Amino acid sequence: AQIAGAHEFLIDSPEGYGTLIGPEGRRFSVGQAKRILIAQALVSDAPVILLDEPTSELDHDTELKLVTALRELAKTRTIVVVSHSHLLLAHCQGLMVMKDGKLIAAGAAATLLPKLGIASTLRESS
């Protein structure tokens, strides 16, 4: 929960970690529900983690904290993300770029990001 950025708002809930999420996570905001789902995925300690748009619905500071945590996790696990977030993409080792369901480019993020018009300085400034 700490890695996913859910710990802070969970401990502030009256029931803490015993808080019922409710149908479709309606008890929490979309961003909070997403962080709970990410925390659940991380609990399994799986060697490979697939995350689909993990930083959408998150504010910039929360996104940056999650990206930092994912970089740390990537030292011991394989993390595959599907994302449009330039901030998240700037921290990836490799990219596969899809368009209309077809692979149009693949390679090192540092090489592809500038070709896609995404500043490589995003990684350095965060």
Side-chain angles (χ1 to χ4, degrees), residues 24-25 28-37 56-58:
E24 299 175 14
F28 297 99
S29 72
V30 174
Q32 289 173 326
K34 180 165 276 207
R35 286 180 272 169
I36 291 170
L37 290 170
S56 68
E57 312 291 342
L58 301 181

Side-chain angles (χ1 to χ4, degrees), residues 49 51 53 55 57 59 68 71 77 93 106 108 116 124 126:
I49 299 170
L51 300 170
E53 296 290 355
T55 62
E57 312 291 342
D59 62 70
T68 301
R71 287 183 65 193
R77 304 180 196 188
Q93 290 179 340
L116 297 171
E124 296 159 9
S126 53

Side-chain angles (χ1 to χ4, degrees), residues 25-108:
R26 289 189 197 136
R27 183 131 187 212
F28 297 99
S29 72
V30 174
Q32 289 173 326
K34 180 165 276 207
R35 286 180 272 169
I36 291 170
L37 290 170
I38 291 169
Q40 289 173 327
L42 298 178
V43 165
S44 71
D45 200 28
V48 178
I49 299 170
L50 172 62
L51 300 170
D52 185 12
E53 296 290 355
T55 62
S56 68
E57 312 291 342
L58 301 181
D59 62 70
H60 179 76
D61 290 340
T62 304
E63 179 180 22
L64 188 54
K65 287 177 187 174
L66 181 58
V67 168
T68 301
L70 290 174
R71 287 183 65 193
E72 188 63 29
L73 282 172
K75 292 177 181 177
T76 58
R77 304 180 196 188
T78 299
I79 300 177
V80 178
V81 295
V82 177
S83 183
H84 292 90
S85 165
H86 293 184
L87 177 63
L88 181 56
L89 294 175
H91 289 274
C92 292
Q93 290 179 340
L95 299 177
M96 296 173 64
V97 182
M98 306 287 292
K99 183 175 182 180
D100 299 325
K102 295 186 170 126
L103 180 67
I104 61 168

